[in-house]
Amino acid sequence: MCSTSAVLTTSLDAARTVAVREVPEPTVQRPTDAVVRVTATCICGSDLHSYRGAGAGLPLLMGHEFLGVVTDVGSAVTTVAPGDLVVPHFAVVDGTCPSCRRGFPGSCARLSFYGLPDAEGVPTVGGQSERVRVPLADGTLVRVGDRPADVTDGDLLALSDVMGTGHHAAVSAGVGPGSTVVVVGDGAVGLSAVLAARRLGAERVVVLSRHPDRAALARQLGATDVVAERGREGVAAVRELLGRDGADAVCECVGSQDAVDTAVALTRPGGAVGFVGAPQAVLPFRRLFMRNVRAGGGVAPVRAYLPELLDAVLAGGLRPGRVFDRELPLAEAAEGYRAMDAREAVKVLLRP
Amino acid sequence: MCSTSAVLTTSLDAARTVAVREVPEPTVQRPTDAVVRVTATCICGSDLHSYRGAGAGLPLLMGHEFLGVVTDVGSAVTTVAPGDLVVPHFAVVDGTCPSCRRGFPGSCARLSFYGLPDAEGVPTVGGQSERVRVPLADGTLVRVGDRPADVTDGDLLALSDVMGTGHHAAVSAGVGPGSTVVVVGDGAVGLSAVLAARRLGAERVVVLSRHPDRAALARQLGATDVVAERGREGVAAVRELLGRDGADAVCECVGSQDAVDTAVALTRPGGAVGFVGAPQAVLPFRRLFMRNVRAGGGVAPVRAYLPELLDAVLAGGLRPGRVFDRELPLAEAAEGYRAMDAREAVKVLLRP
């Protein structure tokens, strides 16, 4: 006799309409699959793009950042086993193709996304669920191992995307010991970029923020200065603060035209901008060219950074879970979306 | 009694109309000046932009690449003396401002250009002249010192701009030992990028060229492959040649939209494009972002590279003068412009 149980999953049914409903329990479908029981998940800034502008392809199964315990694996899985606490990468990757081996899993030959069919066409649920089938488990999941008592679920959950994305902004902007850094964006990615920049040795980290709560959090995470002005006034204020013609490194964590232009204007000649905000903008090519400002970044290669950042959490005191400022039961995901959309919360952790 | 002598200088009087005429002999005007007797000068691809499209500000005194012997210096000049063979940087820079000290002389606080007034408003002639007043001589001129018999004037002259610009393309594209490289552009800058890429350790250097003469020269300078196809066919041909999804490093030495798009398409995920062609194009931001392709480059910091590249010429066997394929007397500058405009010559050396 076959008993089918059900699990909760999150669905965007229309713009600003999120439902949590039952779907059949995910099971291993392929030898390379694992099933993960989710212990914590969360809402990403990019989920809000869909939430606000929801276009084609609805209903959309939501979520790509989660943390959980493996409950079942296919016969070909070798790196994780039932009972293991794992951080899943925000997208499914094989870990073996040329792009993965070169450290750019975002260009993986078998890339797929939670909530959509995998590279073989088999559907998956999103990460904002009680359980998730993870294709290509060996490439996608990272085993946590021994966990110190003061490491929170949020600290580990942040490694599945947001912390690695902030780290990518800082790495792409060339942050190193002694750097002066500007972070454009006071959302969870921007705040993670602050953490990353300090960890990489930045001496000065200026955050652009007009939200007193976020500015205070940025300072807690290591920002040395906060500038509330925007646009031309913001550029002038930062230059005056740094006493020179811009920062060595600018982390662009928004993606809008204003943010991109501000980031480029705030970079000194010969400096670099790291872009991680999904670009809805034109790059000012001539301006970059005349000042030899380098532009790097893109879809963050979070899987490649995961071992290093996991080690920094487990042994190095990195606490990226501090970007979560609200926790709700998974069943109340809709309220989490509302709060983030209204900018009442920086980042909402959902607890299945 | 004051005797005024005259020297020849080159002037763009109208589109495609170049004249060589007499002007009063340049003399030291400021304590930081030097006067250089030009022994070799040449025509730059950027001179052709003015030649073809000549807009406002005519007549324009031409030329910014030259080689010569110091004949006189102001009282504050300490690094060069009369009799010294010197390579002038293609623009006047002070060498002491924050941008110069950080290696980005193109953003020098006292930047000025030959043929235009200097930072104090005193006029200069262009480099395509018999003699040139060089403001800020300590920042701008590099003394050659002992010169091996097989080092040509062209080898030294190339250091004033074109070789350093090709080098900047390769450096900005991150070329290193073992790199696979594509060079977009078979002009003198592209050919210099070939030399630079090989010098930096590139294993494979593919040049896009449809000119049999330039293709042959590219191979002599170290290109391992030449691809004659353009656009989509060119991209497919290079990818097939490299057996993968693009090169580690692409040197963009043209600046047109086609060239920029081709350069980005030919870069592997996580690779880099070095731009040195004056941008008359839009950067495909989303495409760069999705594949984590870095964009670097700009106005080449030739002055910062000059000591290293001069050493490579004097002691390391670098022979960048091979990009000159025609020599004319300065008085025949107009013919030199015509030949380069018609693409009959790669780069013309003018001999005063």
Side-chain angles (χ1 to χ4, degrees):
Chain A
M1 194 182 118
C2 172
S3 109
T4 306
S5 41
V7 297
L8 291 178
T9 199
T10 304
S11 167
L12 179 67
D13 290 347
R16 291 192 163 80
T17 306
V18 166
V20 178
R21 64 169 65 94
E22 289 193 336
V23 290
E25 181 172 326
T27 57
V28 166
Q29 306 281 315
R30 292 285 185 274
T32 48
D33 285 355
V35 172
V36 171
R37 176 173 58 77
V38 177
T39 56
T41 177
C42 59
I43 301 169
C44 178
S46 67
D47 293 331
L48 291 183
H49 291 312
S50 311
Y51 180 76
R52 289 166 182 157
L58 298 179
L60 195 58
L61 302 179
M62 300 298 288
H64 53 267
E65 300 173 281
F66 56 111
L67 175 74
V69 176
V70 174
T71 58
D72 196 9
V73 295
S75 57
V77 173
T78 63
T79 61
V80 297
D84 284 348
L85 178 65
V86 290
V87 180
H89 179 244
F90 72 81
V92 172
V93 294
D94 64 15
T96 56
C97 74
S99 284
C100 281
R101 276 185 279 122
R102 277 199 301 261
F104 289 92
S107 300
C108 173
R110 293 199 278 171
L111 184 73
S112 70
F113 298 95
Y114 303 108
L116 295 172
D118 65 20
E120 296 186 49
V122 183
T124 62
V125 296
Q128 291 160 10
S129 301
E130 288 179 321
R131 280 174 201 253
V132 178
R133 179 180 73 88
V134 178
L136 305 174
D138 282 338
T140 307
L141 299 176
V142 175
R143 193 173 161 273
V144 174
D146 291 337
R147 168 184 184 169
D150 64 334
V151 170
T152 66
D153 280 359
D155 290 329
L156 296 169
L157 170 60
L159 297 178
S160 68
D161 183 350
V162 66
M163 179 63 216
T165 298
H167 181 68
H168 190 49
V171 168
S172 300
V175 175
S179 295
T180 55
V181 179
V182 173
V183 175
V184 179
D186 62 1
V189 173
L191 294 169
S192 299
V194 172
L195 278 173
R198 292 300 290 210
R199 180 173 168 266
L200 293 168
E203 194 176 287
R204 195 95 183 252
V205 179
V206 183
V207 175
L208 305 190
S209 176
R210 303 198 274 201
H211 278 70
D213 294 357
R214 291 172 185 229
L217 184 50
R219 285 186 191 275
Q220 282 171 37
L221 299 180
T224 54
D225 306 88
V226 175
V227 166
E229 291 89 343
R230 291 276 173 101
R232 198 167 290 191
E233 287 80 36
V235 170
V238 173
R239 286 192 180 172
E240 196 181 321
L241 206 55
L242 299 180
R244 51 194 274 198
D245 50 354
D248 300 324
V250 176
C251 301
E252 201 301 281
C253 305
V254 178
S256 68
Q257 190 66 56
D258 270 4
V260 166
D261 289 340
T262 299
V264 172
L266 284 174
T267 314
R268 68 159 169 83
V273 186
F275 291 97
V276 295
Q280 295 161 324
V282 173
L283 266 187
F285 191 11
R286 199 162 180 87
R287 197 145 187 199
L288 293 167
F289 190 93
M290 294 312 291
R291 306 172 79 229
N292 269 284
V293 169
R294 284 166 290 134
V299 178
V302 171
R303 180 63 184 81
Y305 295 138
L306 240 165
E308 173 191 345
L309 294 176
L310 177 58
D311 192 56
V313 166
L314 296 179
L318 181 67
R319 294 292 174 265
R322 291 183 286 171
V323 300
F324 294 105
D325 59 348
R326 190 169 301 186
E327 181 173 329
L328 292 169
L330 176 61
E332 293 172 32
E335 165 59 13
Y337 277 86
R338 190 207 58 75
M340 278 179 62
D341 180 38
R343 289 180 73 88
E344 288 172 19
V346 174
K347 193 167 177 75
V348 175
L349 187 148
L350 299 171
R351 191 71 79 172
Chain B
M1 195 185 112
C2 172
S3 108
T4 306
S5 40
V7 296
L8 292 178
T9 199
T10 304
S11 167
L12 179 67
D13 290 346
R16 291 191 162 80
T17 306
V18 167
V20 179
R21 65 169 64 96
E22 289 192 338
V23 291
E25 180 172 326
T27 56
V28 165
Q29 306 283 315
R30 292 285 185 273
T32 48
D33 285 355
V35 171
V36 172
R37 177 173 57 79
V38 178
T39 56
T41 177
C42 59
I43 301 169
C44 178
S46 67
D47 292 332
L48 290 182
H49 292 311
S50 310
Y51 181 75
R52 288 167 182 155
L58 296 179
L60 195 56
L61 301 180
M62 300 298 289
H64 52 267
E65 301 173 280
F66 56 111
L67 174 73
V69 177
V70 174
T71 59
D72 195 9
V73 295
S75 58
V77 173
T78 62
T79 61
V80 297
D84 285 347
L85 179 65
V86 290
V87 180
H89 179 243
F90 71 82
V92 171
V93 294
D94 65 14
T96 55
C97 74
S99 284
C100 281
R101 276 185 279 121
R102 277 198 302 261
F104 290 91
S107 300
C108 173
R110 292 199 278 169
L111 184 72
S112 70
F113 297 96
Y114 303 109
L116 295 172
D118 65 20
E120 296 187 49
V122 183
T124 62
V125 297
Q128 291 161 11
S129 302
E130 287 180 319
R131 281 175 200 252
V132 177
R133 180 180 72 90
V134 177
L136 304 174
D138 282 337
T140 306
L141 299 177
V142 176
R143 195 175 160 272
V144 173
D146 291 336
R147 168 184 183 170
D150 64 334
V151 170
T152 66
D153 280 359
D155 291 328
L156 296 169
L157 170 59
L159 297 177
S160 69
D161 183 350
V162 66
M163 180 63 216
T165 298
H167 181 67
H168 190 49
V171 168
S172 300
V175 175
S179 295
T180 56
V181 178
V182 173
V183 175
V184 179
D186 62 2
V189 174
L191 295 169
S192 298
V194 172
L195 277 172
R198 291 300 289 211
R199 180 172 166 268
L200 293 168
E203 194 176 287
R204 194 95 183 251
V205 179
V206 184
V207 174
L208 305 191
S209 177
R210 303 196 274 202
H211 278 69
D213 293 357
R214 291 172 186 230
L217 183 51
R219 285 187 192 274
Q220 282 171 36
L221 299 180
T224 55
D225 307 87
V226 175
V227 166
E229 291 89 343
R230 292 277 174 102
R232 200 168 290 190
E233 288 79 36
V235 170
V238 173
R239 286 192 180 172
E240 197 182 320
L241 205 55
L242 299 179
R244 49 195 274 196
D245 50 354
D248 299 324
V250 176
C251 300
E252 202 300 282
C253 305
V254 179
S256 69
Q257 191 67 57
D258 271 4
V260 166
D261 290 340
T262 299
V264 172
L266 283 174
T267 315
R268 69 159 170 83
V273 186
F275 291 97
V276 295
Q280 295 160 325
V282 173
L283 266 187
F285 191 10
R286 200 163 181 86
R287 195 141 191 206
L288 293 167
F289 190 93
M290 294 312 290
R291 307 173 77 228
N292 268 285
V293 169
R294 283 167 291 134
V299 178
V302 171
R303 181 62 185 80
Y305 296 138
L306 240 165
E308 172 191 345
L309 294 177
L310 176 58
D311 192 56
V313 166
L314 297 179
L318 181 66
R319 293 293 174 264
R322 291 184 286 172
V323 301
F324 294 105
D325 59 348
R326 189 169 301 187
E327 182 174 327
L328 292 169
L330 176 62
E332 293 172 32
E335 166 60 15
Y337 277 86
R338 191 207 57 76
M340 279 179 63
D341 181 37
R343 287 179 75 88
E344 289 172 19
V346 174
K347 194 167 178 76
V348 175
L349 186 148
L350 299 171
R351 191 71 78 172

